[in-house]
Amino acid sequence: MCGITGWVCYHGLADGSATTLRAMTDTLTPRGPDASGVWLARQVAFGHRRLAVLDIEGGTQPMVREDVVLTYSGEIYNHHELRDELRRRGHHFTTRSDTEVVLRAYQEWGDAMVDRLVGMYAFAIWDESDRRLLLVRDRLGVKPLYWAEIKGGIAFASEPKALFEHPELEPTVDAAGLREAYSLLFNTGPTLWAGVREVPPGTLLSMSPDDRRERTYWQLEVHEHTDDRNTTIAKVEELLNVATRSQVEADVPLCSLLSGGLDSTVVTALAADELGGLRSYAVDYSDQAEKFTGDVLRTGHDTPFAAEAGAFIGTEHDTVVLDPKLLLDPGHRAAVVACRDSPIGVGDMDTSLYLLFGRIREHSTVALSGEAADEVFAGYPWFHTPRAIEAATFPWLLVTDDEAAMPMHPDLAPLLRLGEYQADTYADALAAVPHLPDEDAVEHRQRELQHLSLTRWLRQLLHRKDRLSMARGLEVRVPYCDHRLVEYAFSIPWQIKAFDGREKSVLRAAARGLAPESVLMRPKNHYPATHHPDYNRGLQDLARMTLSNSDAVRGLVDEAQVKPVLDCAPDKLAWGHRLRLERVVDLGLWLDHHRPRITL
């Protein structure tokens, strides 16, 4: 995995462009701690930071072959098959890297090469023959890619912070950006930052001297499902086997994230079988290890299940136990906000994941994750509870009601109109959902919930995992995001997908023999959080200090809504209310670090 950046300017590069490119590239050093490379020509500049995973000696970038230049981040899991086909077509390879496969595939098939790629990726290609820049992002949006207009062209980067090193771009936030951030709708395209956009998942963006075009090469579609239940289970087992086993190739140490839930246990079991052994990791908190405290999202303690699953599979299992006080450390919290490029996160869960990834990186460079199984196989409560099924809004907005909402300053409410924006966006989101003719009401609604989860909720989870892992130089792979598995599962009828009246029925059936019975039958449990009163007390102190010291924060936050939470007894602080405080603290850290120009 790596970090990429650069720009094209058809007026020609300005003086000092080499210095600018170095500065943009250097911001991505955590994503690629192993090597740095730049390439400049008359109208284009490419930068690259490398995390070496495959072909350590041969995969340096930017890569140049004839009149094509590539700066690439990601992994192509079918690169061996593509390499064999390209060799039969006369192409010669000088490295073992998947990078060279992507470049040669473009030379052979042009833009159509994206239809042949299986993996997670974001890359830029410069084709000197027609002076064209091509930006490409993977189908599910596992890898990030941003762009912004500049005079005579566009700039691009894996993270917005790199763009802001370009002299024509500055970190600016307007009302539309705040609306995007605090509505929690996870749109693709617009971002928090004015003028900065994402390349949507499954999309190519091409720039030539006379034209800029965007083309969607993949999106979720629904097809008539003719397989019966047993055939469906067998097909899911086959697809998941292929996806996981294809993702264990690495020339560096690889491990698995093993929470003790069904999703991660299945991936860990398949990977361990393929490799003949595996190291696995879980996270816990010292207070939870002594006495588990549940909440609206967590009904059980992960650690015993993770240990049982590790023993069942035969992994070398390690539980990273964190002291809640570590989660209050200003340096850790600031680092998390800086790598996110956003004030919006999930507080201690982000900080703990950042610390976990740091510990894992001491031993491994690549980790497998069970992320996306809940979206693919309907694992969330909102697929199964009448309140969420019947609600005319995004289901995740119901999880904690208004408890966790950012308490926006009263002067901002008429400007942002969040309620109106959420309603309009929800209508647009439903209009984009594909359906089969003659679906009954249950099937129709479940298709909507699955589409919303896969195209919106999942994307922010992938964003979180990418930013926090790459900030530690750790590559995380997500087998459940294999587009072939996602395509098949999306069309499975609800009567099969939930055939036993529970979440993830098909996945559970496909996992027989891969996990202990206790894990197979365990209900959905979210990522762990601490409930230690000392953490709550420390968070309240941080929020008070943030509000006291920052005029900018007070200009964005409704202090009247925050005060009751600040005055609450630490041992009585609800998780949703605590998340409200987390967002106040993170807002202050974000303003201090990024120093955005706010124009309302």
Side-chain angles (χ1 to χ4, degrees):
M1 203 58 59
C2 308
I4 66 172
T5 190
W7 73 93
V8 60
C9 177
Y10 289 105
H11 302 330
L13 299 190
D15 293 341
S17 289
T19 300
T20 296
L21 182 60
R22 289 284 183 189
M24 295 172 70
T25 305
D26 287 348
T27 66
L28 303 173
T29 298
R31 297 186 72 91
D34 296 328
S36 177
V38 296
W39 179 88
L40 298 96
R42 187 169 60 89
Q43 297 177 324
V44 64
F46 275 11
H48 188 268
R49 289 292 320 191
R50 187 182 186 205
L51 176 65
V53 173
L54 290 175
D55 192 4
I56 307 302
E57 301 300 324
T60 56
Q61 297 187 53
M63 184 173 284
V64 183
R65 297 292 186 271
E66 292 80 49
D67 56 357
V68 176
V69 187
L70 171 67
T71 184
Y72 158 81
S73 171
E75 301 291 344
I76 303 301
Y77 303 125
N78 63 334
H79 71 100
H80 292 295
E81 296 87 342
L82 291 175
R83 185 189 305 270
D84 290 343
E85 183 174 356
L86 288 163
R87 278 176 171 154
R88 289 194 296 269
R89 291 172 175 264
H91 290 272
H92 174 67
F93 290 85
T94 61
T95 75
R96 294 188 298 107
S97 70
D98 57 339
T99 305
E100 190 175 10
V101 171
V102 172
L103 194 154
R104 294 299 188 189
Y106 173 78
Q107 290 179 318
E108 178 65 31
W109 296 299
D111 293 5
M113 57 99 181
V114 295
D115 299 319
R116 300 170 181 263
L117 302 180
V118 176
M120 56 179 189
Y121 47 83
F123 58 85
I125 288 175
W126 173 252
D127 190 333
E128 181 62 30
S129 64
D130 56 9
R131 294 192 299 150
R132 189 175 74 118
L133 174 71
L134 180 68
L135 302 181
V136 180
R137 192 174 179 199
D138 66 68
R139 294 172 179 84
L140 273 294
V142 181
K143 293 291 102 183
L145 186 55
Y146 298 86
W147 67 277
E149 290 185 357
I150 58 173
K151 293 176 182 177
I154 61 174
F156 65 89
S158 296
E159 299 179 8
K161 60 173 64 69
L163 296 175
F164 300 140
E165 293 296 327
H166 192 284
E168 294 183 36
L169 302 171
E170 64 173 323
T172 301
V173 177
D174 57 18
L178 288 179
R179 190 180 298 118
E180 286 294 335
Y182 288 107
S183 63
L184 303 180
L185 305 186
F186 316 118
N187 287 309
T188 296
T191 70
L192 165 70
W193 304 102
V196 176
R197 296 183 63 84
E198 279 187 279
V199 175
T203 298
L204 306 96
L205 176 67
S206 64
M207 182 80 182
S208 63
D210 303 316
D211 192 23
R212 185 175 72 220
R213 296 184 180 183
E214 193 172 281
R215 178 174 73 84
T216 300
Y217 69 90
W218 185 88
Q219 59 186 348
L220 275 176
E221 297 178 349
V222 60
H223 303 282
E224 184 179 359
H225 189 86
T226 57
D227 294 341
D228 62 18
R229 182 201 298 178
N230 290 336
T231 305
T232 298
I233 293 168
K235 183 65 174 179
V236 165
E237 184 177 356
E238 174 194 342
L239 289 169
L240 189 53
N241 257 286
V242 170
T244 304
R245 294 176 191 276
S246 70
Q247 294 190 27
V248 300
E249 181 184 11
D251 294 336
V252 291
L254 178 145
C255 68
S256 182
L257 306 176
L258 179 59
S259 69
L262 175 64
D263 316 339
S264 63
T265 300
V266 171
V267 166
T268 301
L270 292 173
D273 181 69
E274 179 71 15
L275 296 171
L278 190 65
R279 192 164 189 161
S280 60
Y281 291 89
V283 66
D284 200 359
Y285 306 93
S286 55
D287 61 307
Q288 297 292 74
E290 295 172 4
K291 182 182 179 181
F292 175 76
T293 303
D295 58 37
V296 66
L297 298 178
R298 301 160 193 89
T299 59
H301 190 202
D302 280 348
T303 297
F305 291 96
E308 184 183 2
F312 180 89
I313 298 167
T315 69
E316 182 183 347
H317 187 68
D318 185 17
T319 301
V320 177
V321 180
L322 301 176
D323 185 332
K325 294 177 183 177
L326 275 177
L327 307 177
L328 295 167
D329 181 272
H332 296 325
R333 297 189 70 99
V336 167
V337 172
C339 76
R340 278 198 325 242
D341 282 331
S342 169
I344 303 300
V346 283
D348 66 304
M349 291 185 288
D350 281 353
T351 309
S352 68
L353 192 60
Y354 174 82
L355 294 171
L356 171 65
F357 287 154
R359 290 283 293 275
I360 291 174
R361 187 61 174 88
E362 295 173 5
H363 305 284
S364 299
T365 307
V366 179
L368 298 175
S369 168
E371 198 79 86
D374 288 308
E375 292 78 9
V376 175
F377 293 106
Y380 291 117
W382 60 63
F383 290 104
H384 308 276
T385 56
R387 179 172 178 247
I389 293 170
E390 296 166 5
T393 190
F394 296 97
W396 49 88
L397 297 180
L398 305 175
V399 173
T400 56
D401 293 319
D402 294 326
E403 288 182 351
M406 182 67 178
M408 302 301 294
H409 194 283
D411 292 347
L412 291 177
L415 180 65
L416 299 185
R417 304 191 309 279
L418 288 183
E420 177 184 340
Y421 182 65
Q422 287 173 341
D424 290 346
T425 304
Y426 183 68
D428 291 341
L430 292 190
V433 179
H435 292 282
L436 290 174
D438 303 321
E439 285 181 343
D440 63 28
V442 171
E443 191 71 38
H444 190 90
R445 182 54 176 160
Q446 288 298 335
R447 191 85 63 204
E448 290 177 341
L449 292 172
Q450 292 168 55
H451 195 271
L452 295 174
S453 300
L454 284 163
T455 61
R456 290 176 177 269
W457 181 254
L458 176 60
R459 288 178 185 173
Q460 61 88 23
L461 294 179
L462 294 174
H463 168 92
R464 170 178 180 253
K465 190 145 284 181
D466 172 84
R467 293 302 188 87
L468 295 174
S469 63
M470 295 307 292
R472 310 305 292 235
L474 178 72
E475 174 179 296
V476 176
R477 300 176 182 175
V478 279
Y480 290 106
C481 283
D482 186 296
H483 72 277
R484 298 162 298 187
L485 176 63
V486 174
E487 287 172 345
Y488 183 79
F490 185 65
S491 292
I492 297 174
W494 186 247
Q495 63 180 0
I496 294 179
K497 190 168 285 186
F499 69 81
D500 61 0
R502 289 196 55 187
E503 77 284 357
K504 293 182 282 198
S505 306
V506 172
L507 178 60
R508 184 175 296 103
R512 290 287 174 187
L514 297 175
E517 190 69 17
S518 62
V519 172
L520 281 173
M521 303 310 296
R522 188 185 179 202
K524 165 68 183 172
N525 209 52
H526 287 259
Y527 183 88
T530 182
H531 288 274
H532 200 293
D534 286 349
Y535 178 81
N536 293 346
R537 185 179 296 108
L539 180 64
Q540 289 171 315
D541 291 341
L542 286 175
R544 289 190 191 96
M545 185 170 60
T546 300
L547 288 167
S548 174
N549 295 343
S550 176
D551 292 337
V553 172
R554 291 195 300 275
L556 296 172
V557 170
D558 185 351
E559 293 183 77
Q561 291 188 50
V562 178
K563 188 176 186 305
V565 186
L566 292 174
D567 294 340
C568 181
D571 61 344
K572 303 296 184 184
L573 194 61
W575 179 80
H577 283 144
R578 193 178 80 183
L579 188 53
R580 179 176 290 187
L581 296 185
E582 303 272 17
R583 287 176 172 157
V584 170
V585 174
D586 285 357
L587 176 61
L589 292 169
W590 173 73
L591 289 168
D592 286 345
H593 182 271
H594 289 82
R595 301 193 177 279
R597 182 169 66 93
I598 298 180
T599 60
L600 300 177

